[in-house]
Amino acid sequence: MKPVSTILAAAFGALLFTPAQADFIDTRWSVVGFTGEAWFINPQSVIGQSQTFNRGSAEGVFYTCDYGGQSSSYTPYDNDAFFTNPEFELFLPLREEMTLSSETLFVHRITCEGGGNPAKRHVMYPFVTNEARKSAWYLFEGGVFSLYNP
């Protein structure tokens, strides 16, 4: 019989090296489009730029956190539940694009504590991905920016 510590170490190792699937955001996302009504921002000044997340750091057109206590969480929604939620009604024109090859949408909340500096605290929400893991959408300024991970 193996000692309990060996069994626990093996179980922990299996969890540690299991690749994450649903919460995938760490990559470089290119802004490729905008749908909706721009309130103050000129969407054309954002399209073509990028947003990058990388292990506690982020840099980009929407959000920056230089290892200042970045964390993220997500909530999975089945497609119908997402689109019937009034909070996400501005995503409705993108329904077909967002549900292509995906039964589930993941709504991410990404925060930066700012390394103790209140002026550097930021929240990026809702940042939405799907199971296909190549597209994302970000609700900002009265519309939704579409992003792509080439």
Side-chain angles (χ1 to χ4, degrees):
M1 179 175 244
K2 293 185 179 185
V4 172
S5 61
T6 304
I7 295 170
L8 289 175
F12 178 73
L15 288 174
L16 184 63
F17 295 107
T18 300
Q21 297 294 319
D23 61 349
F24 173 79
I25 60 170
D26 279 4
T27 190
R28 181 174 184 265
W29 298 95
S30 298
V31 182
V32 295
F34 179 81
T35 302
E37 177 184 339
W39 294 338
F40 298 103
I41 196 167
N42 174 359
Q44 295 308 312
S45 71
V46 175
I47 294 171
Q49 295 194 48
S50 63
Q51 178 65 54
T52 302
F53 300 101
N54 185 21
R55 299 181 180 178
S57 174
E59 185 176 346
V61 68
F62 298 115
Y63 170 92
T64 298
C65 186
D66 188 15
Y67 297 102
Q70 180 171 287
S71 62
S72 63
S73 62
Y74 68 91
T75 302
Y77 287 85
D78 111 330
N79 291 341
D80 289 336
F82 178 87
F83 288 104
T84 57
N85 185 329
E87 181 179 8
F88 305 127
E89 76 178 42
L90 291 178
F91 290 92
L92 276 170
L94 298 164
R95 183 181 183 127
E96 186 175 329
E97 174 185 331
M98 293 175 74
T99 59
L100 187 64
S101 303
S102 181
E103 299 291 320
T104 305
L105 295 167
F106 305 97
V107 179
H108 303 264
R109 178 182 309 273
I110 307 155
T111 61
C112 184
E113 192 279 325
N117 182 346
K120 292 186 176 182
R121 291 183 180 141
H122 303 287
V123 176
M124 186 173 187
Y125 175 84
F127 187 77
V128 181
T129 59
N130 65 12
E131 292 171 308
R133 303 179 76 194
K134 288 289 186 186
S135 297
W137 300 268
Y138 179 49
L139 178 63
F140 187 77
E141 289 290 320
V144 178
F145 283 93
S146 297
L147 298 92
Y148 183 71
N149 170 28

